[in-house]
Amino acid sequence: MPAAGYRRHLYRDDAVVLRVQKLGESDRIITLLTRRHGRLRAVARGVRRTSSRFGARLEPFGHIDLQLAGSPEGVGSSLHSVSQVEAVALYGKQFLTDYPRYTAASAIAETAERLTPVEREPSLRLFQLTLGAMKALSVGEHASSLVLDAYLLRAMATAGWAPAVAECAVCGTAGQHAAFSVPAGGAVCPDCRPPGAAHPAPATLGLMNALTLGDWAVADASEPPVRRECSGLVAAHLQWHMERALRSLPLVDRRENP
């Protein structure tokens, strides 16, 4: 039942589709990361029918403009209703048959959902990062593993978890240090290095820094072993702060494509 005095109203926003779930025989629940209203869940009625006017526009990883019925302020039901959808760019169609890019997109979408635990809380920077990552995967200019790790590093920065790579995570001493400790917060100097710290190759920390800064010339020139070591450190750092594993991350196919 709607709250007393509450009337659902229509409003528009653009969004990235993060996830879809079946509801009943013909409906779906769509999880969206919107530009102005944060993460929302909305019911799309009848979209699984072959006669649906906009079912194909509500597939994961697409950028859409839509009209929603509900309350962006959080009054009444947490579920909105989709009343109109226009495709801006259906990025997912560009890599549905490309397993490395598809699995990278799935990990990006799950990360975006996990980093927005409160519905209707705007997160413009995360929205822009997610949209940019989906576009980058659709173009295929960079290896999907690099796009994913760049996204994870920048998304962690928006959450305040960015690993230190150009200074000691403990004392702040500038420089490229030889050890890396996830619990300590990133690279650590010899004086602050805790027991059990990893000792990545210097090029690995250089790649992490390049991905954080968007230096694609350096990132694209990196060697496969460096990329794999970088991915391991990024994943460990992310999941340490999230305090539980991402379901999609172990499925990511990191074969080189460009």
Side-chain angles (χ1 to χ4, degrees):
M1 294 294 291
Y6 163 64
R7 294 181 61 188
R8 292 166 69 85
H9 63 272
L10 299 177
Y11 67 98
R12 297 196 74 87
D13 207 340
D14 67 310
V16 178
V17 178
L18 301 181
R19 184 160 58 97
V20 300
Q21 299 166 268
K22 293 180 180 179
L23 178 65
E25 295 184 356
S26 60
D27 305 335
R28 281 179 176 165
I29 296 176
I30 315 295
T31 301
L32 305 160
L33 182 60
T34 69
R35 184 182 298 273
R36 291 179 291 276
H37 300 99
R39 181 175 59 82
L40 301 173
R41 292 184 306 140
V43 176
R45 304 288 182 190
V47 295
R48 291 164 56 200
R49 299 192 187 108
T50 56
S51 59
S52 171
R53 291 177 296 126
F54 49 73
R57 304 170 199 166
L58 290 172
E59 294 297 328
F61 319 135
H63 181 201
I64 58 175
D65 179 89
L66 73 168
Q67 181 173 269
L68 295 163
S71 169
E73 292 80 24
V75 180
S77 172
S78 63
L79 277 178
H80 299 240
S81 295
V82 177
S83 59
Q84 190 178 74
V85 182
E86 298 294 336
V88 178
L90 300 180
Y91 295 126
K93 290 184 178 294
Q94 305 301 317
F95 50 79
L96 282 178
T97 59
D98 186 312
Y99 190 73
R101 288 194 285 168
Y102 183 86
T103 53
S106 299
I108 288 167
E110 185 181 357
T111 300
E113 186 172 356
R114 292 276 293 276
L115 291 180
T116 50
V118 180
E119 291 191 1
R120 304 184 181 95
E121 186 172 279
S123 183
L124 178 60
R125 178 60 178 153
L126 187 63
F127 169 81
Q128 292 171 329
L129 283 173
T130 306
L131 182 60
M134 296 303 179
K135 181 177 181 180
L137 287 174
S138 73
V139 173
E141 183 178 355
H142 308 292
S144 56
S145 63
L146 294 178
V147 174
L148 172 59
D149 289 338
Y151 174 82
L152 296 179
L153 286 164
R154 298 177 198 182
M156 285 191 282
T158 68
W161 306 337
V165 292
E167 67 281 326
C168 176
V170 178
C171 68
T173 300
Q176 188 169 342
H177 303 291
F180 189 98
S181 170
V182 169
V188 285
C189 69
D191 292 336
C192 299
R193 183 180 64 232
H199 290 79
T204 298
L205 294 180
L207 175 57
M208 292 178 70
N209 193 47
L211 292 173
T212 301
L213 298 176
D215 188 342
W216 287 103
V218 171
D220 289 336
S222 60
E223 296 295 328
V226 171
R227 296 183 186 186
R228 288 192 291 271
E229 188 172 44
C230 174
S231 295
L233 292 178
V234 171
H237 194 87
L238 174 70
Q239 293 178 124
W240 169 272
H241 286 281
M242 284 188 169
E243 299 183 343
R244 60 190 177 106
L246 289 176
R247 294 186 303 273
S248 55
L249 206 51
L251 303 177
V252 173
D253 188 329
R254 298 186 181 277
R255 290 176 296 179
E256 299 305 308
N257 57 356

